[in-house]
Amino acid sequence: MGERSTEILYGSNVTIGEHVIIEPGVVIGNDVTIGNLVVIKQGTNIGNGVQIGDLCVLGKRPASNPKMSQKPPVDLPPLMIGDRVKIGCSVVIYCGVNLSEDVFVGDMASIRERVSIGSSSIIGRNVIVEPKTEIGSRVTVQTSSYITSDMVIEDHVFIGPCCSTSNDKYMGLGNYPHQGPMIRRHARIGNNATLLPGITIGEQAVVGAGAVVTKDVPPGVTVAGNPGKPIKSTQ
Amino acid sequence: MGERSTEILYGSNVTIGEHVIIEPGVVIGNDVTIGNLVVIKQGTNIGNGVQIGDLCVLGKRPASNPKMSQKPPVDLPPLMIGDRVKIGCSVVIYCGVNLSEDVFVGDMASIRERVSIGSSSIIGRNVIVEPKTEIGSRVTVQTSSYITSDMVIEDHVFIGPCCSTSNDKYMGLGNYPHQGPMIRRHARIGNNATLLPGITIGEQAVVGAGAVVTKDVPPGVTVAGNPGKPIKSTQ
Amino acid sequence: MGERSTEILYGSNVTIGEHVIIEPGVVIGNDVTIGNLVVIKQGTNIGNGVQIGDLCVLGKRPASNPKMSQKPPVDLPPLMIGDRVKIGCSVVIYCGVNLSEDVFVGDMASIRERVSIGSSSIIGRNVIVEPKTEIGSRVTVQTSSYITSDMVIEDHVFIGPCCSTSNDKYMGLGNYPHQGPMIRRHARIGNNATLLPGITIGEQAVVGAGAVVTKDVPPGVTVAGNPGKPIKSTQ
């Protein structure tokens, strides 16, 4: 990554709250508002018109302990925050994340490293996103949902509140490859649904509230129940 | 709302921690304790005997992005915090909220605008409450539960941990009216239950842990399962 | 507990961020890193090689309101943080907690009083642990799971993301004894599972994702569904 800049670059019309800590190499665009008591880590890149709430940590580096099988990567690109992104209060976002323009991140959400989020998508309050996941454009992930790692969420997907996903079929046993669910375009997931590792939710498929989805859902099909079974299809 | 005061009014015996940001027009009663690293936004009204933990944001204004169908209201009344309310650490509460006397708000909880909470109610840790919801008196909402918008929770209701509610039958499709569940007096909801939009849980009804409630539950009836079915009745 | 020290003791090679509040009687070991905007309450004891993220509250005392049947204990021992523990950002940990060496606590997690956690265990992001619970060594509790009070989790247990537990059979009615689940060695719990009060999950048992466990699971048995039923056994 070459030498890191130690300067901080400020655009015009930047408003910064009280007790804000900005580390070296941060780049801030024009017309940016940053709240109070915010920590912006080394190299974070903030676009034009971005709004950041109070008490956030932006650009955090991952850590690990002896029990974790995967060690965090040592060299990650900086956090990139696109134009007009809005970030709530008490948000924690890691380095190696890319937020496209007009993304909205609610209060108390957290996004780990190596995640990209497409334009105008909404990451609700208290949503947690794990590493190495791709989220498309105009996606909604509602409050308190959990997005596991190694997952793909295509454009226009709607995920209701409190949904849960997983990527580890063997639940911590051994060193198997992990694979989160794939959710295809325009699929919709009801609140508190449970998605198992590696399944695909097809285009325009619907998962009912509280459903436990243990296998693939074909395009246009609606599933409900535990385990989730088809209850209707548009195709 | 007339002209906004730019003065801050302090009662007697007020204790304020370090690095606290108090905006103009805030009114603080007597015998109030405010933790460290707290942000209190413009016009917030804090009653007598209130205790506020560290790292809170009180009186936040709502924001939005281009994908959101509902734009936040521009003029909201200030956050009103009643006498003897206790607020934990890392809490985010919006303006336009009314907390009655003796309410308890746990750490990491968040409450959006246009919500009222009756006296002595408990909002547990990590609970998220959405806009335009009414919560009665002596209600318990336990840890990590999610209270959607346009919902009514009457007095003496008990909601266990990790419950999920929703208000949007069409999951983000189009501009239909939203309606959260109605939970009547003395009803009790088990942990990780899922409540669908617009249903009514009757007086003294019981929802079993993990139940997925897809239709109204009559008064005094207990439901369990996915979908939830009656398993017993007191009437 | 005798007289409380009012001095702060610092080891060698301690790095402390900006705007950190350290109360009297705190003891800090060698080679400790503390982030920015952190509050460390009276008497907290921090071992050698500990890393603490930004915006944490460590050693908080419990509070209560008139509706709560149990009042918090008045005299609790200080928070003890073992050697090489790593704590993320925006974490809230109470006094009366003991974290053994090499424990990892993710961002936005919170741990109440009278909890002990064995060595090398992982408490994921946004996990909430209630009072009076014992967690063994090399346990994993993944993101956004909820660990109730009066619960025992033995060594090597794996709890997936978004799991929910409860300890109150009568859901807030009257003054009955509370009892959380007991999870025995090497058991594994799938994501978004629901565990009812007082049940035991046997050694090496497996609870499927989204299962609602209403009674004991024998050792080595796998349960799934709502209510959870055995689907296979290794014994």
Side-chain angles (χ1 to χ4, degrees):
Chain A
M1 305 186 45
E3 282 180 44
R4 287 215 173 82
S5 170
T6 56
E7 223 183 334
I8 301 173
L9 297 177
Y10 293 95
S12 63
N13 191 26
V14 172
T15 307
I16 298 183
E18 297 188 42
H19 312 307
V20 170
I21 295 107
I22 303 182
E23 291 187 356
V26 169
V27 177
I28 302 177
N30 302 320
D31 307 308
V32 168
T33 304
I34 298 172
N36 306 288
L37 306 159
V38 169
V39 181
I40 305 180
K41 305 281 189 185
Q42 190 168 315
T44 297
N45 194 306
I46 300 175
N48 299 315
V50 168
Q51 296 178 17
I52 296 167
D54 305 305
L55 295 159
C56 291
V57 179
L58 301 178
K60 185 187 170 181
R61 306 211 145 256
S64 69
N65 89 339
K67 182 165 189 281
M68 293 177 181
S69 51
Q70 297 189 3
K71 297 304 157 201
V74 287
D75 208 7
L76 284 163
L79 166 60
M80 306 293 292
I81 302 177
D83 291 348
R84 298 176 305 280
V85 165
K86 289 181 183 166
I87 295 175
C89 298
S90 298
V91 167
V92 179
I93 306 180
Y94 283 63
C95 61
V97 168
N98 189 70
L99 305 178
S100 301
E101 62 278 7
D102 294 306
V103 162
F104 184 99
V105 180
D107 308 320
M108 297 155 160
S110 179
I111 304 169
R112 285 281 303 266
E113 68 275 12
R114 299 198 197 175
V115 167
S116 67
I117 302 184
S119 61
S120 296
S121 287
I122 299 167
I123 303 298
R125 285 191 295 161
N126 204 33
V127 166
I128 312 277
V129 182
E130 299 287 13
K132 290 186 285 171
T133 276
E134 278 174 62
I135 299 178
S137 295
R138 300 189 75 78
V139 167
T140 297
V141 182
Q142 288 199 329
T143 306
S144 295
S145 275
Y146 171 68
I147 304 302
T148 191
S149 57
D150 305 286
M151 183 160 170
V152 176
I153 300 175
E154 293 187 347
D155 298 346
H156 297 281
V157 162
F158 176 93
I159 298 180
C162 310
C163 290
S164 169
T165 56
S166 60
N167 72 342
D168 179 6
K169 230 175 126 162
Y170 301 98
M171 299 183 193
L173 274 195
N175 217 343
Y176 297 94
H178 290 183
Q179 184 57 57
M182 149 80 79
I183 307 184
R184 297 239 178 246
R185 289 165 57 85
H186 290 285
R188 291 173 287 148
I189 317 289
N191 65 305
N192 212 11
T194 304
L195 306 187
L196 271 77
I199 60 167
T200 295
I201 310 292
E203 279 198 30
Q204 308 220 43
V206 177
V207 172
V212 178
V213 186
T214 58
K215 44 192 176 184
D216 292 353
V217 178
V221 168
T222 298
V223 298
N226 180 355
K229 298 205 168 130
I231 57 172
K232 100 181 144 178
S233 170
T234 61
Q235 301 199 324
Chain B
M1 304 186 48
E3 283 181 44
R4 288 216 173 85
S5 171
T6 56
E7 222 182 335
I8 301 173
L9 297 177
Y10 293 95
S12 62
N13 191 27
V14 171
T15 307
I16 299 182
E18 297 187 43
H19 311 307
V20 170
I21 295 106
I22 303 182
E23 291 188 357
V26 170
V27 177
I28 302 176
N30 302 319
D31 308 308
V32 167
T33 304
I34 297 172
N36 305 289
L37 306 158
V38 169
V39 181
I40 305 180
K41 305 280 190 186
Q42 190 168 317
T44 298
N45 193 306
I46 300 175
N48 299 314
V50 168
Q51 296 177 18
I52 296 167
D54 304 306
L55 294 159
C56 291
V57 178
L58 302 178
K60 185 186 171 184
R61 306 212 145 254
S64 70
N65 89 338
K67 181 164 190 284
M68 293 178 181
S69 52
Q70 297 190 3
K71 297 304 158 201
V74 286
D75 207 8
L76 285 163
L79 165 60
M80 306 293 293
I81 302 178
D83 292 347
R84 299 175 306 280
V85 165
K86 290 181 183 166
I87 295 174
C89 298
S90 298
V91 167
V92 179
I93 306 180
Y94 283 63
C95 61
V97 168
N98 189 70
L99 304 178
S100 301
E101 62 278 8
D102 294 307
V103 161
F104 185 99
V105 180
D107 308 320
M108 297 154 160
S110 179
I111 304 170
R112 285 280 303 268
E113 68 275 11
R114 298 197 198 176
V115 167
S116 67
I117 302 183
S119 61
S120 295
S121 287
I122 298 167
I123 303 300
R125 284 191 294 161
N126 204 34
V127 165
I128 312 279
V129 182
E130 298 288 13
K132 291 186 284 170
T133 276
E134 277 174 61
I135 299 178
S137 296
R138 302 189 73 77
V139 166
T140 297
V141 182
Q142 289 199 328
T143 306
S144 295
S145 274
Y146 170 68
I147 305 300
T148 189
S149 58
D150 305 286
M151 182 160 170
V152 176
I153 301 175
E154 293 187 347
D155 299 345
H156 297 280
V157 162
F158 177 93
I159 298 179
C162 310
C163 291
S164 168
T165 56
S166 60
N167 72 342
D168 179 4
K169 231 175 122 162
Y170 301 97
M171 299 183 193
L173 274 196
N175 216 343
Y176 297 94
H178 290 183
Q179 184 58 56
M182 150 78 81
I183 307 183
R184 296 239 178 248
R185 290 165 57 85
H186 290 284
R188 291 173 287 147
I189 316 290
N191 65 305
N192 212 12
T194 304
L195 307 188
L196 272 76
I199 61 166
T200 296
I201 310 291
E203 280 199 27
Q204 308 220 42
V206 177
V207 172
V212 178
V213 186
T214 58
K215 44 191 174 185
D216 292 352
V217 179
V221 169
T222 298
V223 298
N226 180 356
K229 296 206 169 131
I231 57 171
K232 107 179 138 175
S233 170
T234 60
Q235 301 199 324
Chain C
M1 305 188 44
E3 282 180 46
R4 288 214 173 84
S5 170
T6 55
E7 224 184 333
I8 301 173
L9 297 177
Y10 292 95
S12 62
N13 191 26
V14 171
T15 306
I16 298 182
E18 296 188 44
H19 311 308
V20 171
I21 295 107
I22 303 182
E23 291 188 357
V26 169
V27 177
I28 302 177
N30 303 319
D31 306 308
V32 167
T33 303
I34 297 172
N36 305 289
L37 306 160
V38 169
V39 181
I40 305 180
K41 304 281 189 185
Q42 188 169 318
T44 297
N45 193 305
I46 300 175
N48 299 314
V50 168
Q51 296 177 18
I52 296 167
D54 304 306
L55 294 159
C56 292
V57 179
L58 302 178
K60 185 188 169 181
R61 306 212 144 256
S64 70
N65 90 338
K67 183 166 188 282
M68 293 178 180
S69 51
Q70 297 190 3
K71 297 305 156 199
V74 286
D75 207 7
L76 284 164
L79 166 60
M80 306 293 293
I81 302 178
D83 292 348
R84 298 175 306 280
V85 165
K86 289 181 183 166
I87 295 175
C89 297
S90 298
V91 167
V92 179
I93 306 180
Y94 283 63
C95 59
V97 167
N98 189 71
L99 304 178
S100 300
E101 62 277 8
D102 293 307
V103 162
F104 185 98
V105 180
D107 307 321
M108 297 155 162
S110 179
I111 304 170
R112 284 281 302 268
E113 68 276 12
R114 299 198 197 176
V115 167
S116 67
I117 301 183
S119 60
S120 295
S121 287
I122 298 167
I123 304 298
R125 284 191 295 162
N126 203 35
V127 165
I128 312 276
V129 182
E130 298 289 13
K132 291 186 284 171
T133 276
E134 278 174 62
I135 299 178
S137 296
R138 301 188 74 79
V139 167
T140 298
V141 182
Q142 288 198 330
T143 306
S144 295
S145 275
Y146 171 68
I147 304 301
T148 190
S149 58
D150 305 286
M151 183 161 170
V152 176
I153 301 174
E154 293 187 347
D155 299 346
H156 297 280
V157 162
F158 176 93
I159 298 180
C162 311
C163 291
S164 168
T165 57
S166 61
N167 71 343
D168 180 5
K169 230 174 125 162
Y170 300 97
M171 299 183 193
L173 274 194
N175 217 342
Y176 297 94
H178 290 183
Q179 184 58 55
M182 149 79 81
I183 307 183
R184 297 239 178 246
R185 291 165 58 85
H186 289 285
R188 291 173 288 147
I189 317 289
N191 65 305
N192 212 12
T194 304
L195 306 188
L196 271 76
I199 60 166
T200 295
I201 310 292
E203 279 198 28
Q204 308 219 42
V206 177
V207 172
V212 178
V213 186
T214 59
K215 43 191 176 185
D216 292 352
V217 179
V221 169
T222 298
V223 298
N226 180 356
K229 297 207 169 130
I231 56 171
K232 102 179 142 178
S233 171
T234 61
Q235 301 198 325

